[in-house]
Amino acid sequence: MVFRRATLKDIPAIMKFIDLHWKKNHIISRNRSFFEWQYVMDQEVNFVIALNEEDTIVGINGFIPYNHLAVPDIAGSIWKVVRTDNPILGLQLSEVLCNIIPRRFVSAPGLSRRAYLIEKYSHNPLGELAHYYIQAPKTCYHIAHFPMYEDTRYLPIPKNMSFRQITDVVDFEEALQSIPLEDSIPYKDEWYYVRRFWNHPVYHYEIYQVSYHQKKLLYVTREVEANGAKALKLVEVLGDYEMISYTGGELRQLLCQKGYEFVDLYSYGVPDDVLKKAGFQWCDPKGEVIVPNYFEPYVCENIPLYFTTNSHELLTNPHFHLFRADGDQDRPS
Amino acid sequence: MNYEEKMEFLTDVFEADEDLTEATVLEELDTWDSVAVLSIIALLDDKFGKNMSAAEIRTCSTVADLLAIMC
């Protein structure tokens, strides 16, 4: 068995492996340009692979860097092995990734149920993203399930605070430069944000900027559709989280203007109190309210999003934040 | 862990679309791989204080065999 980092020449075989052994006809296996957007960086392929004696791939383990540093923070991605005579192939592949890929912190939401079980019973650091939503006032809902319309109180936006959509990449870059990105864990640099959200090959993200004097807050959003209705996903929030408290009114305006059923946010590390001040409500995964998260295909269920990291201390670090769009999440299928 | 919890765990481990039964033959499951074995090793260690090797777990042939070691 040979373990090594994949090269550009391995891409067709990796895509075929994904199609055969991970998910049939997934965009990662059928669309080379999307694969490269997701996994190729500076001509390097972000997979480690295991090859058998016939030089056939029998295991893959992907990762996604959050920045361009020599020792970046990374997100784990597809981890899949086929059955072989080697009973610890999956574990070895994971160890090889740790050994040959320099990284500071590893963290991303979207653990598979199997990976979750391994991490849980191995006592590795595990967490769950909190799920919050604001419900639009409607008489019936086609995406979410709300037993009734429940209005919530929210703080008004202060004088001199502005809320506007960013429509020019230069404005987006300027906004990013005014936010101390390096303070956050994982550290996502300007390159990451522009590529991830502005230059996404399939999805269209809309970005809203909240400004108050020198302070900035950015909401990255994506519209989703199902059953002839629409909703808004807040997939990433960056900047001064205290400012979230004052955006409840503006988010409600967006809901009404665009006919969304709800806006929701999965996050770890964003203080609950600022979300509640904006009128967000916590979505109990086992509760009566259902705020769906899967749209390709649509699934009318509450979906808990779990993550693991390589540091127990990170779970209580106030600079550690994760969102729905981190790692390989919020991608087309 | 009661019986239902063990079966739920195995259903998740094998990503079984349909309900597993005790008679399910492991060799017939695509997901009877090293990741499944690793999950079971971790569970046995955590819940039952057992330290079993991958090779030992590989000797199981049915879901019933796995249930038998989960105690």
Side-chain angles (χ1 to χ4, degrees):
Chain A
M1 197 80 71
V2 172
F3 296 90
R4 63 171 170 80
R5 185 168 185 163
T7 68
L8 293 172
K9 285 181 182 172
D10 295 314
I11 290 176
I14 296 172
M15 292 173 72
K16 189 177 173 189
F17 180 92
I18 289 170
D19 193 54
L20 284 174
H21 304 295
W22 188 68
K23 274 184 191 158
K24 196 79 194 157
N25 206 30
H26 192 275
I27 191 168
I28 298 294
S29 66
R30 67 173 193 269
N31 184 329
R32 167 118 186 191
S33 65
F34 188 85
F35 180 100
E36 291 188 8
W37 176 83
Q38 181 93 83
Y39 292 112
V40 178
M41 182 175 163
D42 301 332
Q43 298 300 301
E44 291 212 273
V45 181
N46 293 329
F47 271 97
V48 291
I49 55 178
L51 299 139
N52 64 13
E53 290 69 23
E54 285 84 46
D55 214 27
T56 301
I57 294 179
V58 290
I60 61 173
N61 198 353
F63 63 98
I64 296 170
Y66 284 114
N67 61 55
H68 251 94
L69 296 178
V71 182
D73 293 335
I74 67 169
S77 188
I78 301 172
W79 177 38
K80 179 70 187 173
V81 296
V82 295
R83 206 179 339 148
T84 65
D85 293 337
N86 181 350
I88 55 167
L89 175 58
L91 183 62
Q92 285 179 327
L93 198 55
S94 176
E95 286 173 351
V96 169
L97 176 66
C98 291
N99 291 337
I100 68 174
I101 305 299
R103 78 272 191 265
R104 185 178 65 154
F105 294 115
V106 183
S107 59
L111 272 187
S112 71
R113 189 69 189 145
R114 310 178 92 199
Y116 172 82
L117 291 170
I118 293 172
E119 303 294 346
K120 177 182 172 186
Y121 292 119
S122 302
H123 298 280
N124 291 332
L126 268 179
E128 181 179 353
L129 272 63
H131 190 193
Y132 279 87
Y133 67 93
I134 297 174
Q135 177 184 4
K138 286 181 177 288
T139 50
C140 65
Y141 299 87
H142 303 283
I143 299 175
H145 174 70
F146 297 115
M148 56 187 283
Y149 174 63
E150 201 175 335
D151 199 8
T152 51
R153 295 165 66 100
Y154 55 89
L155 293 177
I157 192 165
K159 202 177 166 185
N160 299 327
M161 183 179 278
S162 68
F163 184 103
R164 69 174 184 91
Q165 185 180 349
I166 291 182
T167 54
D168 189 312
V169 70
V170 175
D171 291 342
F172 184 38
E173 288 167 346
E174 278 180 8
L176 290 169
Q177 286 157 16
S178 69
I179 293 171
L181 302 177
E182 63 281 0
D183 287 352
S184 271
I185 302 170
Y187 164 43
K188 299 171 219 169
D189 61 11
E190 187 181 326
W191 163 85
Y192 172 88
Y193 279 113
V194 172
R195 181 173 179 274
R196 174 69 183 85
F197 297 116
W198 206 274
N199 296 327
H200 194 281
V202 178
Y203 281 162
H204 172 69
Y205 291 99
E206 293 198 334
I207 296 162
Y208 294 88
Q209 173 179 288
V210 188
S211 304
Y212 187 65
H213 301 301
Q214 300 305 311
K215 293 179 179 177
K216 289 272 192 305
L217 175 75
L218 296 178
Y219 281 133
V220 181
T221 72
R222 187 168 69 81
E223 185 177 294
V224 290
E225 291 184 20
N227 303 330
K230 297 186 294 184
L232 190 66
K233 293 271 172 192
L234 283 180
V235 298
E236 166 98 32
V237 185
L238 60 155
D240 187 333
Y241 293 143
E242 288 299 320
M243 294 167 76
I244 294 172
S245 308
Y246 305 102
T247 59
E250 305 300 314
L251 291 171
R252 280 166 177 77
Q253 269 193 30
L254 264 184
L255 293 180
C256 292
Q257 281 169 7
K258 302 205 173 184
Y260 297 133
E261 284 192 4
F262 62 85
V263 54
D264 76 334
L265 169 71
Y266 278 94
S267 65
Y268 186 87
V270 174
D272 290 344
D273 66 316
V274 301
L275 294 167
K276 287 176 179 165
K277 284 177 187 169
F280 277 91
Q281 298 185 78
W282 177 62
C283 183
D284 178 353
K286 294 178 178 167
E288 212 177 340
V289 168
I290 297 174
V291 181
N293 190 43
Y294 290 159
F295 289 83
E296 297 179 27
Y298 165 73
V299 178
C300 189
E301 286 177 15
N302 287 325
I303 306 291
L305 289 183
Y306 299 104
F307 65 90
T308 184
T309 81
N310 56 341
S311 160
H312 281 280
E313 287 70 33
L314 213 51
L315 296 178
T316 52
N317 186 321
H319 298 285
F320 178 55
H321 311 109
L322 284 180
F323 296 96
R324 185 182 189 272
D326 283 335
D328 62 11
Q329 297 298 289
D330 203 54
R331 74 172 167 206
S333 58
Chain B
M1 266 183 129
N2 61 30
Y3 179 82
E4 285 72 27
E5 288 168 335
K6 290 175 189 174
M7 285 302 284
E8 187 183 337
F9 168 80
L10 292 174
T11 300
D12 285 339
V13 163
F14 293 122
E15 296 176 337
D17 292 333
E18 295 172 13
D19 287 343
L20 289 180
T21 69
E22 292 193 25
T24 302
V25 176
L26 300 177
E27 283 296 326
E28 292 175 358
L29 298 171
D30 289 340
T31 45
W32 178 227
D33 56 18
S34 67
V35 176
V37 172
L38 198 56
S39 303
I40 294 163
I41 288 173
L43 175 97
L44 291 174
D45 179 41
D46 180 64
K47 289 285 181 191
F48 305 105
K50 279 187 172 178
N51 191 4
M52 288 184 77
S53 70
E56 286 174 295
I57 291 168
R58 280 285 194 189
T59 62
C60 294
S61 59
T62 64
V63 166
D65 294 337
L66 289 176
L67 289 170
I69 61 172
M70 290 164 65
C71 60

